[in-house]
Amino acid sequence: MYGLKTTIAAVALLASTCLASAEEITLWVRTSSGAVLQGLAEKYNAAHSDKVNVTQITAEQMVPKLGAAIAGGAAPDGAVLDLIYLPTFAANDSLEDISDFVKGLPYAAALSPSHIRLATYDGKVYGVPALPDASIIAYNTDLFTKAGLDSDKAPASLEEIAADAKKIHALDKETYGFYFVANSGSWLIYDFLPHLWGAGADVLSDDGRAATVDTPALRDTVAAYRDMWKSGAIHPTSRSGNGNNAVEAFASGKVGILMTGSYIVNLLTSKYPDVKFAVAPIPGPKGGASSFAGGDTLALIKGLSEEKKKVALDFVKFYMEPEQQVYITQESGMPSRTDLAKEAYAKFDQRNLIAYDILAKARTPYTFSSDELFVSRTGPFLNLIQGTIFGDDVDESIKKAQDDFTKILDRTNP
């Protein structure tokens, strides 16, 4: 009897010790990614004594709320946020250095290069890809055929896009060759900047500290867009519409080429199954190709205990496993690991692989002033596009953008 009591006591003690040692961490995620991260957390929690709690924050409020929480000493343990903001939080000494963890992953070389680049500051890595996406073009194969174009051959340059768009618009006045969202800086860095990157150019230096606006690639890109606009080949709501307008216009069968993102394949096949389309990388003005690497990066807030840090990084390893990468693909359209792309997409539309293949060449602006430079509706990047494509003085618009970029960078660079 004594032995039985001793055994029961020992089991109870062991159980209480295990319960006491279990850790909980809180991750803030933006609402656009909330469902996927919540699903991953539930899968993790079901298989572990440690727990990951997800708090969803409205996307537009994520950065100011996180900044305020860090400043007030009430930050979450980690955050899954738009990768473009990683340089700012890293430069402000707000994030945990996880260089050794990231570099030690057996699939480190398969992680999105742009996500790692933006998570790197002063030689240290502060984040790991969570839910990437990439910008691409979609084109209506039926309209290509009707216009006498080869529907099996995607445009290999922006100059080809412009020529194809004009031929498609020539079919009738209600059919347009091209659609892009021109009144949103967020959309324009997503689908306009890749033209420049495809040509080896950029509007910022590699370290994000200097403006490099006036390049031959920019002028060639602007020239192609102006040509399409003046010829009437660009859908008129491009100038004032949004992403929803763009998808609806393309789904109507009246737009030949759409500047869009990797989500488009699953969206069209599920909601607009009658649309015949193909996808391709975004080309440079005369050739080459690139993409905007978008989506989320997971970062840990500085000062995390070793126990909580261990749970957070264990969660990263968990969602990087093949089973979870397939789940991510099913729910959001793109896995975090390029070496699992074929496995993750095996049960899905193979056109998704076009976007995933270009992710290795994709870029994202490395800047400490993303909102002021690119997102602001009165910012220099949006003014640059509006002025050069729809305005009368290209030279003046470029010069003003270079000057305005420089003023902001001089004031905000750490």
Side-chain angles (χ1 to χ4, degrees):
M1 188 70 173
Y2 176 77
L4 178 60
K5 288 183 178 179
T6 302
T7 301
I8 293 173
V11 170
L13 177 62
L14 178 62
S16 65
T17 301
C18 291
L19 288 172
S21 64
E23 287 285 347
E24 291 194 13
I25 64 166
T26 298
L27 287 180
W28 282 10
V29 309
R30 49 181 181 163
T31 48
S32 53
S33 308
V36 185
L37 269 299
Q38 182 64 47
L40 288 169
E42 289 173 1
K43 287 175 176 288
Y44 179 86
N45 294 344
H48 297 79
S49 58
D50 298 317
K51 303 300 178 188
V52 175
N53 299 315
V54 169
T55 299
Q56 297 189 37
I57 306 293
T58 303
E60 294 77 13
Q61 296 178 348
M62 171 64 88
V63 171
K65 276 196 170 184
L66 184 60
I70 291 171
D77 300 308
V80 181
L81 67 161
D82 191 328
L83 79 162
I84 204 166
Y85 296 111
L86 263 290
T88 300
F89 281 102
N92 288 335
D93 197 27
S94 300
L95 306 178
E96 278 285 332
D97 174 9
I98 56 172
S99 304
D100 292 342
F101 170 79
V102 174
K103 293 175 182 177
L105 292 171
Y107 41 80
L111 300 177
S112 164
S114 195
H115 283 74
I116 297 301
R117 175 175 173 253
L118 265 75
T120 302
Y121 178 74
D122 199 22
K124 298 175 182 177
V125 183
Y126 293 92
V128 62
L131 304 175
D133 65 56
S135 54
I136 53 175
I137 63 169
Y139 62 96
N140 185 304
T141 53
D142 282 346
L143 287 179
F144 263 55
T145 300
K146 289 178 183 177
L149 302 168
D150 185 351
S151 61
D152 294 325
K153 180 178 175 292
S157 69
L158 180 56
E159 291 177 351
E160 281 188 38
I161 285 180
D164 293 349
K166 288 187 287 185
K167 288 179 181 177
I168 291 167
H169 183 49
L171 292 172
D172 66 72
K173 291 182 179 180
E174 300 302 316
T175 299
Y176 297 91
F178 191 74
Y179 199 115
F180 77 116
V181 180
N183 72 331
S184 163
S186 297
W187 268 98
L188 289 168
I189 58 173
Y190 191 61
D191 58 27
F192 184 90
L193 281 182
H195 295 307
L196 309 186
W197 297 331
D202 204 342
V203 294
L204 292 173
S205 59
D206 283 346
D207 62 3
R209 296 175 182 276
T212 58
V213 176
D214 192 355
T215 62
L218 174 74
R219 289 181 176 273
D220 289 341
T221 299
V222 164
Y225 272 75
R226 285 177 70 86
D227 180 28
M228 287 189 285
W229 178 251
K230 288 185 176 182
S231 69
I234 295 178
H235 195 288
T237 62
S238 282
R239 192 170 182 178
S240 59
N242 55 39
N244 291 332
N245 298 136
V247 172
E248 290 167 2
F250 187 77
S252 74
K254 291 296 185 179
V255 170
I257 300 166
L258 174 68
M259 304 298 295
T260 185
S262 50
Y263 64 87
I264 198 67
V265 174
N266 293 342
L267 176 61
L268 289 176
T269 53
S270 62
K271 292 191 67 175
Y272 307 98
D274 294 333
V275 178
K276 302 295 187 294
F277 72 98
V279 297
I282 296 176
K286 299 180 183 298
S290 189
S291 173
F292 181 98
D296 296 301
T297 293
L298 187 150
L300 308 184
I301 306 305
K302 188 170 183 179
L304 212 57
S305 70
E306 285 302 313
E307 293 78 13
K308 287 181 177 290
K309 184 175 179 180
K310 181 178 179 298
V311 175
L313 298 181
D314 190 49
F315 177 62
V316 171
K317 288 181 179 179
F318 174 80
Y319 77 67
M320 290 290 186
E321 292 172 359
E323 180 182 345
Q324 277 63 250
Q325 291 290 289
V326 172
Y327 171 78
I328 288 172
T329 306
Q330 175 184 327
E331 298 299 318
S332 70
M334 185 171 282
S336 311
R337 289 173 54 182
T338 59
D339 60 330
L340 291 177
K342 286 184 173 57
E343 182 176 350
Y345 284 131
K347 298 179 181 179
F348 305 106
D349 195 310
Q350 294 300 293
R351 284 173 291 191
N352 282 297
L353 287 170
I354 299 294
Y356 214 77
D357 287 343
I358 196 61
L359 193 62
K361 295 181 181 178
R363 291 177 63 85
T364 315
Y366 191 105
T367 175
F368 310 97
S369 313
S370 175
D371 285 355
E372 203 168 347
L373 289 173
F374 295 110
V375 179
S376 171
R377 297 194 65 82
T378 58
F381 183 65
L382 188 57
N383 288 337
L384 169 70
I385 305 304
Q386 292 285 330
T388 55
I389 295 174
F390 306 115
D392 297 322
D393 195 334
V394 173
D395 289 337
E396 178 57 31
S397 294
I398 293 175
K399 181 181 181 303
K400 186 174 190 311
Q402 173 70 27
D403 292 343
D404 290 346
F405 263 65
T406 299
K407 289 175 184 175
I408 292 171
L409 293 172
D410 287 346
R411 175 168 47 79
T412 58
N413 280 335

